[in-house]
């Protein structure tokens, strides 16, 4: 006999169990920092998540928008986790846009005035 499925689960536990975040503490920190929203409202770590809720999370891999299909309390494999939500995430930005930020060599010191102007032009400031 299997245990009955719960009617709600903590937000931080659910986003961790469906693998939106690598660790439970990272999920809790993201909730506290305002990076997780449930149905358009900022979610505290202990806020309950129900089936049908829309969860938006800003993860290290980009923004994820998912709709809860099944509740989990424990972390599961990637294949099982994918069945627990419907993904409505926007497509990732093209590779050129992600690598647009200039990088300075470590130990190169502060940028010169000319380099600062080039950086400002690149950022669009």
């Amino acid at each position: 006999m299997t245990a009955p499925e719960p009617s709600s689960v903590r937000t931080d536990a659910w986003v961790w169990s469906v693998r939106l975040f690598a660790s439970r503490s990272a999920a809790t920190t993201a909730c506290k920092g305002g990076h997780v929203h449930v149905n358009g409202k900022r979610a505290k770590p202990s806020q309950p998540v129900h089936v049908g809720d829309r969860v938006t999370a800003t993860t290290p891999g980009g923004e994820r928008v998912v709709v809860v299909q099944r509740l989990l309390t424990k972390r599961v494999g990637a294949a099982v986790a994918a069945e627990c939500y419907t993904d409505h995430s926007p497509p990732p930005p093209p590779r050129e846009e992600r690598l647009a930020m200039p990088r300075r060599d470590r130990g190169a010191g502060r940028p010169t005035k000319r380099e600062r102007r080039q950086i400002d032009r690149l950022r669009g400031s």
Side-chain angles (χ1 to χ4, degrees):
M1 183 169 183
T2 60
E5 194 171 287
S7 62
S8 67
V9 177
R10 287 175 56 108
T11 301
D12 60 345
W14 189 82
V15 296
W16 165 73
S17 64
V18 296
R19 299 175 167 264
L20 295 183
F21 291 96
S23 66
R24 174 87 183 261
S25 61
T28 303
T29 303
C31 289
K32 287 179 180 176
H35 301 289
V36 179
H37 292 76
V38 176
N39 296 327
K41 295 181 182 171
R42 220 172 126 167
K44 292 183 178 180
S46 62
Q47 179 177 335
V49 173
H50 304 280
V51 173
D53 285 350
R54 185 179 187 89
V55 178
T56 306
T58 305
T59 65
E63 185 175 16
R64 300 288 305 270
V65 180
V66 297
V67 175
V68 180
Q69 298 297 320
R70 200 171 111 206
L71 298 175
L72 296 173
T73 55
K74 303 260 186 218
R75 193 164 172 101
V76 294
V80 177
E83 297 171 358
C84 296
Y85 60 83
T86 305
D87 199 351
H88 296 288
S89 302
R95 187 165 177 82
E96 302 84 43
E97 290 181 25
R98 283 185 274 159
L99 300 176
M101 285 300 294
R103 298 281 182 217
R104 292 186 55 79
D105 293 332
R106 191 168 177 85
R110 293 178 55 174
T112 64
K113 189 171 188 176
R114 182 179 185 183
E115 290 171 332
R116 282 197 313 266
R117 287 180 179 159
Q118 290 172 344
I119 291 169
D120 288 343
R121 260 188 255 121
L122 183 64
R123 287 184 179 162
S125 303

